[in-house]
């Protein structure tokens, strides 16, 4: 559905922002585009939406280069890039009226969209008096007015409280169930981990990882470091001689494993050697820590 | 039809309290000044056997064109376009399925529509004001003479054409600068300079669009300009310059807008 091929982008010749970006968002996916602030997420999304032109490379939507299909392909794409496009002096309904006119969508759609984004009760309230979460939902409502097949959301969880994030997650899940392909960016993996099934991680303007959430989890299972707390350090070191043991203290040591499946065998050898194990804990091995390792500058 | 829908959308957006206040202030200011001029000095304004609408028309167009119209245009366009900058609308606006040019002209036509609506409000307001004056001061005799609406519309038409150059420049500036202050300040300073140049009939004013409403007004009222205005049917040379300025700056703004990288 969305494909970026060898995208480069720079504001000035000496300062490349994006370098050889390749992304592939399959149909029906919820794709989390992750990276630290300044990694190039928003720039990439702006290039996809045609707000900026790449220095090199090609952006494809619906398997066609956007420079050929512009602006007609935008009828099938909804987006929310950074802040929601809302006039604060107008009500939610008036804001949607504006975009209904631009999208050539019937005004009857407003009621349906307000219901979907749970804003029907405040539709006459001025947007300036809305909470961040309500503004974000109204922004999402504008992006959904033309029933897009692709929805692109830039940091949609920004400024939302946990309830707001849960509501957004539910809306995204509902949309995806109906067949909408969703690309959303974030700098916090934990916030989007439960929403997405594909992940792309951008680091310093280049893609550091792309794949399913399962493949990211599989990556976590490799190169595991585990900390042991035992009753007898001397015996433990003798039993595990030849293996990668480090940071030995009075009652603890750390061990690097090439895969987490090695762990039961290690524990078995220690137990058979009459070593009592009080604690086994992974170090630096949460999905979040893996994300930080992959995305950090 | 899409253009009409876009203009409707833009007019919804322009329901912005400062803009509504500005239009209200312009209408009230012109009507109040005209009313006060007639009410206070009725002996000078009422002349036996003369159509009072002639003087009234001149007073309305002179007050509006020379003192009110330019700051009104400057503030209206600066505030109207500023709304889109203030709420970062461009990032979404340019993802609607239409060419940037269509959006660009929709916004411009919406502003022109609002200006013309203000002109219509002004015409209605000053006519009602004249009849109200007549109720208070029957010696003004507005009701005994034909109003000849077309003459008032013609005068305001000249003012509108003389304003086109300023509209083009202000639209260009408002799109290029994200803040309200730069286009508005430039416009206000240019208005003062233009007013001075136009009032003293300095030849330079023929090339300074912010003088055009004043010198066109002087030309049409007194035919006393030293600017060398040439009449070509309905339009005169200054009005043609105004149209050229408008076309040039709108064209320039459109090219830059088409190329703009929306950050």
């Amino acid at each position: 559905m969305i494909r970026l091929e060898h995208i480069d982008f720079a504001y000035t010749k000496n300062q490349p922002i994006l370098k050889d970006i390749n992304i592939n968002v399959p149909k029906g996916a919820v794709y989390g585009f992750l990276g630290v602030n300044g990694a190039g997420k928003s720039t990439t999304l702006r290039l996809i939406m045609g707000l900026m032109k790449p220095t090199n490379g090609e952006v494809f939507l619906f398997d066609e280069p956007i420079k050929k299909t512009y602006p007609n392909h935008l009828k099938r794409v909804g987006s929310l890039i950074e802040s929601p496009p809302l006039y604060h002096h107008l009500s939610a309904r008036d804001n949607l009226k504006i975009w209904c006119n631009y999208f050539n969508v019937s005004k009857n759609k407003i009621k349906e969209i307000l219901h979907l984004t749970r804003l029907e009760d405040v539709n006459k309230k001025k947007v300036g008096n809305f909470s961040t979460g309500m503004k974000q939902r109204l922004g999402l409502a504008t992006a959904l007015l033309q029933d897009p097949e692709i929805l692109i959301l830039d940091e949609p969880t920004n400024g939302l409280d946990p309830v707001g994030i849960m509501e957004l997650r539910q809306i995204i899940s509902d949309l995806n169930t109906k067949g909408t392909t969703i690309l959303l960016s974030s700098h916090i993996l934990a916030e989007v981990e439960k929403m997405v099934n594909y992940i792309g991680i951008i680091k310093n303007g280049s893609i550091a990882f792309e794949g399913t959430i399962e493949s990211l989890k599989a990556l976590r299972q490799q190169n595991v470091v585990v900390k042991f707390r035992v009753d007898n350090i001397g015996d433990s070191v003798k039993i595990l001689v030849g293996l990668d043991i480090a940071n030995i203290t009075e009652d603890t040591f750390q061990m690097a494993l090439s895969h987490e499946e090695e762990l039961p065998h290690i524990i078995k050898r220690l137990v058979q050697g009459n070593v009592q194990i009080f604690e086994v804990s992974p170090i630096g091995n949460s999905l979040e820590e893996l994300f930080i390792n992959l995305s950090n500058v | 039809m899409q253009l009409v829908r876009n203009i409707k959308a833009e007019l919804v957006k322009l329901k912005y309290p400062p803009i509504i206040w500005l239009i209200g202030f312009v209408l009230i200011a012109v009507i109040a000044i005209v009313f006060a001029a007639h009410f206070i000095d009725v002996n000078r304004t009422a002349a036996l056997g003369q159509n009072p609408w002639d003087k009234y028309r001149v007073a309305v167009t002179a007050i509006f064109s020379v003192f009110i119209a330019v700051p009104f245009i400057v503030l209206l366009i600066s505030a109207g376009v500023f709304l889109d900058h203030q709420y970062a609308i461009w990032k979404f606006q340019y993802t609607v399925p239409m060419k940037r040019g269509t959006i660009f002209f929709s916004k411009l036509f919406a502003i022109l529509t609002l200006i013309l609506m203000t002109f219509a409000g002004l015409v209605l307001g000053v006519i009602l004001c004249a009849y109200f004056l007549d109720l208070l001061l029957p010696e003004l005799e507005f009701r005994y003479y034909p109003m000849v609406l077309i003459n008032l519309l013609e005068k305001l038409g000249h003012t509108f054409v003389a304003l086109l150059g300023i509209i083009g420049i202000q639209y260009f500036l408002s799109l290029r600068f994200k803040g309200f202050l730069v286009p508005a300040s430039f416009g206000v300073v240019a208005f003062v300079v233009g007013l001075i140049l136009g009032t003293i009939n300095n030849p330079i004013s023929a090339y300074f669009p912010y003088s055009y409403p004043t010198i066109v007004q002087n030309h049409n009222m007194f035919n006393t300009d030293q600017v060398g205005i040439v009449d070509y049917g309905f339009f005169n040379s200054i009005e043609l310059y105004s149209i050229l300025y408008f076309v040039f700056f709108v064209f320039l703004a459109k090219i830059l807008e088409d190329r703009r990288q929306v950050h």
Side-chain angles (χ1 to χ4, degrees):
Chain A
M1 284 292 252
I2 305 172
R3 204 166 80 243
L4 272 67
E5 287 185 357
H6 308 294
I7 292 288
D8 296 329
F9 179 78
Y11 290 110
T12 57
K13 268 187 181 175
N14 302 326
Q15 283 184 310
I17 306 290
L18 301 177
K19 290 161 276 181
D20 196 29
I21 294 281
N22 291 284
I23 289 176
N24 193 6
V25 181
K27 190 174 182 182
V30 182
Y31 189 105
F33 190 44
L34 301 164
V36 296
N37 288 332
K41 301 186 296 293
S42 295
T43 306
T44 307
L45 298 189
R46 285 187 197 125
L47 291 170
I48 294 172
M49 289 311 295
L51 292 169
M52 301 197 293
K53 290 189 176 90
T55 319
N56 287 308
E58 194 91 74
V59 177
F60 294 83
L61 288 182
F62 309 105
D63 289 326
E64 295 209 67
I66 60 166
K67 64 184 177 194
K68 277 190 185 165
T69 55
Y70 176 86
N72 291 332
H73 70 274
L74 293 169
K75 285 178 189 160
R76 301 162 70 190
V77 186
S79 72
L80 189 54
I81 306 288
E82 288 181 352
S83 53
L86 305 172
Y87 295 103
H88 290 200
H89 60 285
L90 298 175
S91 66
R93 177 169 285 276
D94 277 348
N95 267 285
L96 291 174
K97 254 189 214 170
I98 291 176
W99 301 114
C100 273
N101 276 315
Y102 266 111
F103 289 132
N104 195 12
V105 168
S106 161
K107 300 215 173 41
N108 297 333
K109 185 83 184 167
I110 292 176
K111 199 177 170 188
E112 181 194 323
I113 289 290
L114 286 170
H115 175 73
L116 177 74
T117 49
R118 289 153 206 158
L119 288 169
E120 61 257 85
D121 294 341
V122 290
N123 75 85
K124 288 180 182 161
K125 193 174 169 182
K126 279 194 178 160
V127 169
N129 299 325
F130 274 23
S131 67
T132 309
M134 286 156 78
K135 282 180 194 159
Q136 201 69 12
R137 293 211 301 277
L138 185 57
L140 188 59
T142 59
L144 294 174
L145 273 173
Q146 25 173 26
D147 286 328
E149 291 168 54
I150 292 176
L151 181 62
I152 294 174
L153 305 171
D154 189 12
E155 310 258 6
T157 55
N158 255 8
L160 295 186
D161 58 19
V163 177
I165 294 173
M166 269 176 62
E167 285 178 341
L168 182 76
R169 193 182 297 152
Q170 189 56 49
I171 293 169
I172 285 173
S173 167
D174 292 347
L175 289 168
N176 187 238
T177 309
K178 288 176 192 164
T180 311
T181 302
I182 298 163
L183 166 61
L184 57 93
S185 75
S186 179
H187 58 273
I188 304 168
L189 174 66
E191 278 183 0
V192 297
E193 192 185 334
K194 288 177 186 162
M195 298 185 212
V196 303
N197 41 32
Y198 282 83
I199 293 253
I201 296 174
I202 185 167
K203 176 183 179 181
N204 285 341
S206 300
I207 296 294
F209 173 85
E210 187 183 46
T212 60
I213 191 100
E214 286 76 23
S215 59
L216 183 69
K217 284 175 181 167
L219 200 64
R220 181 185 64 168
Q221 291 165 351
Q222 295 165 13
N223 303 316
V224 186
V225 177
V226 183
K227 180 182 169 185
F228 289 84
R229 189 160 67 83
V230 293
D231 67 334
N232 192 330
I233 277 287
D235 285 353
S236 302
V237 172
K238 276 182 199 162
I239 291 164
L240 302 174
V241 70
L243 295 175
D244 191 1
I245 298 174
N247 294 344
I248 301 169
T249 66
E250 204 173 289
D251 60 348
T252 67
F253 65 90
Q254 290 180 9
M255 198 173 169
L257 310 175
S258 58
H259 197 276
E260 68 178 7
E261 283 175 3
E262 290 176 23
L263 186 58
H265 300 291
I266 302 291
I267 292 171
K268 196 175 173 187
R269 280 170 69 180
L270 288 170
V271 171
Q272 283 172 346
N274 288 325
V275 174
Q276 290 194 52
I277 304 168
F278 301 122
E279 183 187 339
V280 181
S281 53
I283 292 174
N285 195 36
S286 68
L287 209 53
E288 195 66 42
E289 280 163 319
L290 178 64
F291 162 62
I292 289 166
N293 286 337
L294 283 169
S295 62
N296 249 352
V297 287
Chain B
M1 281 312 287
Q2 183 59 50
L3 187 66
V4 175
R5 272 192 289 271
N6 293 356
I7 292 171
K8 271 166 73 180
E10 287 297 316
L11 290 176
V12 173
K13 173 195 94 179
L14 292 173
K15 284 196 300 186
Y16 180 48
I19 290 178
I20 295 167
W21 280 102
L22 177 67
I23 292 171
F25 173 78
V26 164
L27 298 180
I28 290 168
V30 177
I31 293 166
I33 294 169
V34 173
F35 180 88
H38 283 72
F39 192 77
I40 293 166
D41 202 3
V42 65
N43 295 328
R44 252 186 67 191
T45 45
L48 208 62
Q50 277 183 16
N51 186 341
W53 290 103
D54 292 340
K55 270 189 179 175
Y56 189 73
R57 200 165 44 235
V58 168
V60 168
T61 46
I63 290 163
F64 179 65
S65 307
V66 177
F67 299 108
I68 308 279
V70 179
F72 164 63
I73 295 293
V74 166
L75 294 176
L76 177 76
I77 297 176
S78 303
V81 180
F82 174 64
L83 278 174
D84 292 330
H85 293 308
Q86 186 182 15
Y87 299 126
I89 298 296
W90 299 108
K91 286 183 203 123
F92 190 75
Q93 182 86 70
Y94 283 156
T95 64
V96 300
M98 61 184 67
K99 287 185 175 169
R100 287 188 183 190
T102 313
I103 295 163
F104 173 89
F105 283 114
S106 303
K107 288 180 185 292
L108 178 62
F109 289 152
I111 287 168
L112 291 173
T113 305
L114 202 58
I115 293 168
L116 289 173
M117 282 162 71
T118 309
F119 273 60
L122 183 70
V123 169
L124 187 68
V126 294
I127 290 170
L128 291 175
C129 174
Y131 285 116
F132 185 61
L133 274 166
D134 205 70
L135 277 177
L136 298 176
L137 305 165
E139 59 269 41
L140 286 171
E141 297 187 329
F142 280 111
R143 66 191 175 285
Y144 296 123
Y145 289 90
M147 178 175 48
V148 197
L149 180 64
I150 194 75
N151 287 347
L152 179 61
L153 294 180
E154 188 192 326
K155 286 228 177 292
L156 286 174
H158 283 292
T159 301
F160 181 74
V161 176
L163 285 168
L164 279 175
I166 302 170
I167 292 171
I169 295 171
Q170 287 299 135
Y171 190 55
F172 167 80
L173 289 174
S174 300
L175 286 170
R176 297 320 301 162
F177 295 95
K178 283 187 176 178
F180 171 80
L181 214 58
V182 174
S185 315
F186 176 87
V188 170
V189 171
F191 159 64
V192 175
V193 174
L195 184 63
I196 294 167
L197 289 174
T199 309
I200 63 172
N201 259 321
N202 189 304
I204 295 171
S205 61
Y207 307 99
F208 192 63
Y210 291 80
S211 297
Y212 291 177
T214 305
I215 56 177
V216 165
Q217 194 59 34
N218 286 344
H219 176 71
N220 288 342
M221 274 199 314
F222 313 116
N223 211 10
T224 56
D225 59 83
Q226 297 162 18
V227 183
I229 299 179
V230 182
D231 284 308
Y232 304 103
F234 181 80
F235 296 118
N236 59 48
S237 51
I238 291 296
E239 287 163 355
L240 290 177
Y241 292 164
S242 178
I243 293 169
L244 286 176
Y245 269 110
F246 175 77
V247 171
F248 174 77
F249 277 98
V250 166
F251 184 65
L252 186 64
K254 162 127 185 5
I255 289 173
L256 293 175
E257 211 49 32
D258 280 342
R259 292 179 178 181
R260 181 153 74 101
Q261 303 269 40
V262 183
H263 301 173

